[in-house]
Amino acid sequence: PFIYMDCIYINVKENMTSVKKAVYVALGIDIEGNKEVLDFWIGDSESSSFWYGILDELKMRGVKDILYLSSDGVSGFKEILEASFPKTIHQRCIVHITRNLTKCVARKQWKELCDDLKKIYKNVNLEAATDAANNILEKWKTNKILYKKLSNDIPHLLQLYDYPEEIRKIVYTTNPIESMNSALRKVTNGKGSFVNEQALEKVLYLRIKELKEKWGKNKTKNWQIVLNQLILLHGERVEKYINL
């Protein structure tokens, strides 16, 4: 039902120099509400073409359908998702949107901007969220760069109101994959550069194995409510995978 995709960078030695390698990570929530790391891949940098290969691989491995996929705003991602899984709803990651927007203001204004954005994606309904969005555009219009980015990003925030609140809370927050990325960084940061990609793969694999054991069968919060909402919205696409 839900997949989160993200990319982190880790130093690896290559031709006697240290280079940043992109580690692509895919985390899913299955039909029973359990978290599952689908895989990780190592590339030179983040690109939509690499993500296309990942999505194609997931199809070959047996992933027949994805209801919601949350990711950052890498150029061309929506188009390659539509090519691989045309029925999947793509939701831009709120964390990445916020992070990119704060780059347009002084550090002392970060909290103010973040609080303004919350008035959009944490509001009671679409009408109130739209009013908040218009107010924010008016408030920050003198910052031309921020205003342009806000104009592009606000539709992705308002899109959240296409879903019930229970589903909205799952797709607007990328806490699951942000938490996992943090766990991966704990075993990679401060280690210098890995001697090669194989050494990095081993460390990431062992850490993910530990995380899987730690998660156990802790289902996503309010999963039964979420599942009922998914059935109402998507019917047969969900029901055929439920063990009655």
Side-chain angles (χ1 to χ4, degrees):
F2 301 98
I3 287 183
Y4 305 93
M5 288 184 165
D6 201 4
C7 185
I8 60 176
Y9 286 86
I10 300 172
N11 291 322
V12 177
K13 286 185 179 178
E14 191 174 86
N15 298 324
M16 304 300 291
T17 60
S18 178
V19 297
K20 285 189 178 295
K21 289 288 185 177
V23 178
Y24 298 74
V25 183
L27 175 70
I29 298 178
D30 67 19
I31 199 69
E32 295 180 352
N34 301 312
K35 287 189 292 185
E36 179 185 5
V37 179
L38 301 179
D39 214 331
F40 66 89
W41 302 259
I42 300 176
D44 292 327
S45 61
E46 185 176 14
S47 67
S48 58
S49 59
F50 200 104
W51 279 123
Y52 181 80
I54 288 172
L55 289 167
D56 200 44
E57 179 185 322
L58 292 178
K59 285 183 69 174
M60 291 178 64
R61 283 167 50 184
V63 178
K64 295 181 174 62
D65 197 4
I66 304 167
L67 299 181
Y68 301 90
L69 192 150
S70 300
S71 74
D72 63 11
V74 62
S75 178
F77 186 90
K78 184 178 180 181
E79 288 72 23
I80 63 106
L81 176 61
E82 289 176 349
S84 299
F85 294 93
K87 293 182 179 180
T88 299
I89 296 171
H90 179 232
Q91 178 62 52
R92 283 277 307 280
C93 164
I94 300 299
V95 173
H96 286 93
I97 288 176
T98 303
R99 195 176 292 158
N100 289 331
L101 290 174
T102 54
K103 294 177 182 178
C104 302
V105 299
R107 182 180 288 270
K108 64 182 180 180
Q109 294 177 302
W110 283 4
K111 184 179 185 305
E112 182 182 1
L113 177 59
C114 290
D115 289 342
D116 285 345
L117 292 172
K118 287 178 183 178
K119 294 174 184 175
I120 301 177
Y121 65 84
K122 283 192 173 183
N123 222 310
V124 292
N125 54 48
L126 177 59
E127 183 179 2
T130 303
D131 288 341
N134 292 333
N135 291 337
I136 290 169
L137 285 171
E138 178 65 24
K139 176 180 178 178
W140 297 94
K141 66 180 180 182
T142 56
N143 185 329
K144 300 300 182 183
I145 297 176
L146 176 60
Y147 182 86
K148 183 178 179 180
K149 286 191 175 184
L150 278 170
S151 299
N152 292 330
D153 289 339
I154 281 175
H156 297 287
L157 302 180
L158 295 178
Q159 176 185 320
L160 288 163
Y161 292 89
D162 292 343
Y163 335 129
E165 183 179 0
E166 293 78 14
I167 293 175
R168 194 186 316 157
K169 288 180 178 178
I170 292 180
V171 296
Y172 90 61
T173 177
T174 52
N175 283 347
I177 200 164
E178 290 290 332
S179 176
M180 190 184 76
N181 286 345
S182 177
L184 296 181
R185 289 190 180 99
K186 283 182 179 179
V187 295
T188 57
N189 285 359
K191 302 291 191 298
S193 296
F194 285 83
V195 293
N196 52 42
E197 285 189 14
Q198 186 179 34
L200 173 60
E201 285 176 353
K202 288 180 179 179
V203 170
L204 294 176
Y205 169 77
L206 291 172
R207 183 54 173 156
I208 288 171
K209 188 177 179 181
E210 288 176 351
L211 290 174
K212 184 178 179 181
E213 292 173 356
K214 180 181 177 181
W215 292 337
K217 290 296 181 179
N218 293 329
K219 296 185 185 298
T220 301
K221 187 177 180 181
N222 297 324
W223 182 250
Q224 192 55 54
I225 297 175
V226 172
L227 187 58
N228 288 337
Q229 292 288 357
L230 292 175
I231 293 171
L232 287 172
L233 286 171
H234 303 287
E236 177 64 17
R237 287 176 69 191
V238 178
E239 290 172 340
K240 64 183 177 181
Y241 295 107
I242 298 175
N243 294 320
L244 299 177

